Amino acid sequence: MTQIKNRGRYYVLSVLMALGLSSNAQFISKVIDYLPAPGQYTNADFIGTPDAAKSIAGTNKGMVSLGAFGGYVTVYFSQAIQNDPANPYGVDFTIYGNATSTWSEPGIIQVMKDENKNGIPDETWYEIAGSDHFWNITISGYEVTYKNSGLNKASNIEWTDNSGATGIIPENSFHQQPYYPKPDLFPIVPTNSYALSGTRLSGQIDLSIPGQVNSFRRSFGYADNTPVLSLTEKLPDNPYTLAIEGSGGDAIDIGWAVDQDKKPVFLDEINFIRIYTGMNALVGWLGEISTEITGIRDVEPAVVSGIRSAVIIQDLPLKIKVGESLTLNAVAFENGLRNADATFVWTVSDPESAEIVNGLLNSKKTGKLKIRATLDSNPEIFAEKDIEFFSVGKAEITLQITSLKVNDRLELSGKLTDQNGEILTGINSVWSVGNEQIANVVALDGKYYVQGKNIGKTWLFLEASGETSIRDSVEIEVLPESVLKKVFVAVKTSERTLVPRHSVWVGQSDLTSKVDRARKSYGLLDVPFVSLAHVVASAFEGTEASNEWAFRDDAEGNSQLYLWKVPEIEDGSTIYTFGYGGSRSSNAYRKTWVVMLNQQSYVSGFDTVKVNNGDDILIYHIVDNDLPWEVSHLTLSSDTIKINQQVEIQEIKYSCLMSTDRLISINSSESVVGQQAQLFQANQVDPELSSTTDEFGKATFLPGKTGNYLIRSGIDEAFLTVETTTGSHLLSHDLLKCSVFPNPFRDFIQIGSESRIDEVELYTIQGQRLFTLKNPSTEIDVKSIQSGIYLLKVKSGTKVSVLKTVKN
């Protein structure tokens, strides 16, 4: 089974909580200290707050996330845990996490004895030396400094380490609260940056299969590393075997403790345990490696037989190329302590495919085989690793288009294949660009995109990680930023959807007439880009509210533009829903229209916020901005699909709070699980299809007929168009089929269209609108404009077409 992070974490927890009552063995007495590193769960309710950390005391059914590398939790046992060799396999306590057979997020463990009996961890910490502590790729004294982005929403958190490396903890759409520790929850964390240090592990991660991620288990000695089988079973796992016995979880022997020089120390008992995330690594669309803990239990003495020796082979690549060589390393442990004098006999299962000479593996031909390291002094103690050899590797970029516009993103697609043309699993792919001033590669939710930055051309590369000979490239061009933006927008109150989510082309326009009692102008020169205010205006075009909604910019909105009035028609009467731009001057004025742009929320200043193609906007109303609130949002993988093509929906719920300075923070976000979603054909009362959201809040539909559809999930709604395979757009707000001629032109232009043309707008290439014509005649006089390149926006109903034209 391949572990999926978000689903696995909460699924495992729910299973564990369903298993019986906890035993009478000793659990954590109290949590002393909790300081997470930045991460997708940091600050999130129930898993990334001080209260979440307290949940692991007295039980093994809590849950706390430690964030990225170095994030830690410190716990106290009022009754000391004894270092008792009579315990099963000699282990003394079990740490419970949410690992699975192919998903490990190893946390490093430190222990301390309360020598002075003051209940404070003020003496010497000793580290538990697990199976990976003795590899030369394991780094002692590693330190990472995390930099606050300063945003009150999910955002990339930059880091640097003490070797000069840099990187990010990436944001994702599943968790939209800030990832840097919030000052109200973690007041000791500096607001600009902070550093965490410790021992860094280098675990093996496989991202080669799309949609699957493997973070392979370490052999023993780490938290959140071994799957939990039972919360009630008192017998621990035997850490020296591959099988998982007893309760599962990570069984730890105090006797594995070492000092800073990795020399064993003897502790007869301990009272304090500290666990911190031991890897600084990303796992594709699942974000950062972050250790999770559900509890710790003291092991009780019992008579159990089992081996206490082990051979560990250092991680090998899952695949290597024929003709390459690989150095093999192994370590022997007896009772968990390293035997530095041990020697090994190395063998391969197929001598025709490979040979081992003086610890060096030499590949000779394609094939799969096992590599074995046997303890020279005891042939019954050995370890094995699987490996595969391939002869030819090929990288192939498979883009349908090779151009994009400034600030737009183009999804990347490609593959690595072997000599048989099959996907080269076990080898991760890497995307890059030749000139990052022109474009850069960004990752979001497991997909990679190239994002345009400046006009020009650059090379896009796809290659195999660690194997630069497997490489493909294509030249991409970044074009000028588009004047019109295609965005997705929905409008709703707390009770119902007013305008279902749909795509709309948004351009600049003079908004002044839509501002009630305007204090200033909002024309083309005043707002010289496509703004959030223009999106709000476009959202109501063609609706019952198109003439009566309004902005304001008075003192209630801090003298910034806000959405004031939205009408609804109910039983033939007009009902207005008002908002006051984040005001708290009275109970009535706390009513607020909020606009959420890609999970960043605003209550005013809409004309100052720029939008880009593909942005997702939710306009919604709350009745009291002084209280926390929740809001759900429905999104679609595409608003237009072909017949017999699948569409995926996702429902996410956000928990929000507004500060006195009108900034909205998302305290947590979660998938709406088990929500029934329905697909209706246009103007039909009964649903055609139903589906239920999974643990990601996702569900799928496969419409069998073309037409316009409405998808409803709770109170959220979204439009969907299903086209024939030849592709005639059916949904409003989609592209209008038309043409302009002559092109280039001199004095007059004509527009050809099967639809009646309602409006024509002409823009310069820089985005300045030159004129608007309502119900234009067949021939349009353009003698007065200068020579150059122009954009012609043509509207028919709610359909839009944008054409490039040239005047000689």
Side-chain angles (χ1 to χ4, degrees), residues 443-500:
L444 183 63
D445 296 348
K447 296 180 180 179
Y448 287 93
Y449 302 83
V450 60
Q451 179 170 284
K453 295 173 67 176
N454 291 293
I455 299 170
K457 295 182 179 181
T458 184
W459 287 95
L460 172 71
F461 301 102
L462 172 64
E463 62 186 23
S465 176
E467 184 64 63
T468 56
S469 63
I470 304 176
R471 193 184 207 201
D472 191 18
S473 61
V474 64
E475 190 176 45
I476 59 172
E477 182 176 11
V478 179
L479 303 172
E481 184 173 6
S482 54
V483 174
L484 296 181
K485 309 290 185 180
K486 183 180 181 182
V487 301
F488 301 90
V489 62
V491 185
K492 69 177 186 177
T493 67
S494 58
E495 298 177 346
R496 65 181 64 88
T497 290
L498 304 182
V499 181

Side-chain angles (χ1 to χ4, degrees), residues 394-436:
K394 179 183 178 182
E396 182 181 4
I397 297 174
T398 54
L399 299 180
Q400 293 184 346
I401 59 174
T402 58
S403 63
L404 69 159
K405 297 182 178 181
V406 171
N407 290 326
D408 285 357
R409 291 176 179 175
L410 174 65
E411 185 176 346
L412 300 178
S413 60
K415 58 185 178 180
L416 306 179
T417 55
D418 62 14
Q419 65 276 3
N420 300 316
E422 298 178 353
I423 297 296
L424 198 57
T425 59
I427 295 182
N428 298 329
S429 56
V430 178
W431 291 96
S432 62
V433 294
N435 186 347
E436 292 193 349

Side-chain angles (χ1 to χ4, degrees), residues 38-40 68-69 142 144-149 154-161 165-172 179 279-284 286-289 409 440-445 448:
Q40 62 186 312
F69 173 82
Y142 181 72
V144 177
T145 299
Y146 299 100
K147 182 181 178 181
N148 191 358
S149 69
S155 56
N156 294 341
I157 301 297
E158 298 178 356
W159 60 260
T160 58
D161 66 18
T166 62
I168 62 169
I169 307 299
E171 67 169 298
N172 62 53
Y179 291 179
M279 289 177 62
N280 184 7
L282 300 179
V283 278
L286 300 181
E288 75 289 345
I289 289 287
R409 291 176 179 175
N440 64 322
V441 174
V442 295
L444 183 63
D445 296 348
Y448 287 93

Side-chain angles (χ1 to χ4, degrees), residues 277-450:
T277 300
M279 289 177 62
N280 184 7
L282 300 179
V283 278
W285 65 287
L286 300 181
E288 75 289 345
I289 289 287
S290 55
T291 302
E292 274 86 53
I293 305 298
T294 66
I296 304 175
R297 184 175 65 190
D298 192 357
V299 169
E300 299 180 357
V303 178
V304 178
S305 61
I307 64 170
R308 298 194 184 186
S309 299
V311 170
I312 311 297
I313 300 176
Q314 189 172 3
D315 287 340
L316 303 177
L318 300 179
K319 292 186 178 182
I320 65 171
K321 201 171 183 180
V322 170
E324 294 182 348
S325 298
L326 189 66
T327 300
L328 303 175
N329 294 302
V331 175
F333 293 89
E334 296 178 5
N335 290 314
L337 299 180
R338 180 191 181 193
N339 180 359
D341 298 324
T343 58
F344 307 96
V345 177
W346 292 92
T347 56
V348 295
S349 60
D350 181 7
E352 293 186 359
S353 295
E355 63 179 0
I356 300 174
V357 179
N358 297 325
L360 193 67
L361 173 68
N362 300 310
S363 58
K364 296 190 292 185
K365 70 173 188 177
T366 59
K368 300 178 181 179
L369 70 158
K370 290 184 181 294
I371 297 172
R372 174 179 290 194
T374 302
L375 189 62
D376 197 12
S377 60
N378 186 351
E380 295 183 1
I381 306 298
F382 62 88
E384 290 183 331
K385 290 278 188 180
D386 294 317
I387 196 168
E388 183 175 353
F389 305 134
F390 67 94
S391 60
V392 176
K394 179 183 178 182
E396 182 181 4
I397 297 174
T398 54
L399 299 180
Q400 293 184 346
I401 59 174
T402 58
S403 63
L404 69 159
K405 297 182 178 181
V406 171
N407 290 326
D408 285 357
R409 291 176 179 175
L410 174 65
E411 185 176 346
L412 300 178
S413 60
K415 58 185 178 180
L416 306 179
T417 55
D418 62 14
Q419 65 276 3
N420 300 316
E422 298 178 353
I423 297 296
L424 198 57
T425 59
I427 295 182
N428 298 329
S429 56
V430 178
W431 291 96
S432 62
V433 294
N435 186 347
E436 292 193 349
Q437 297 300 313
I438 301 298
N440 64 322
V441 174
V442 295
L444 183 63
D445 296 348
K447 296 180 180 179
Y448 287 93
Y449 302 83
V450 60

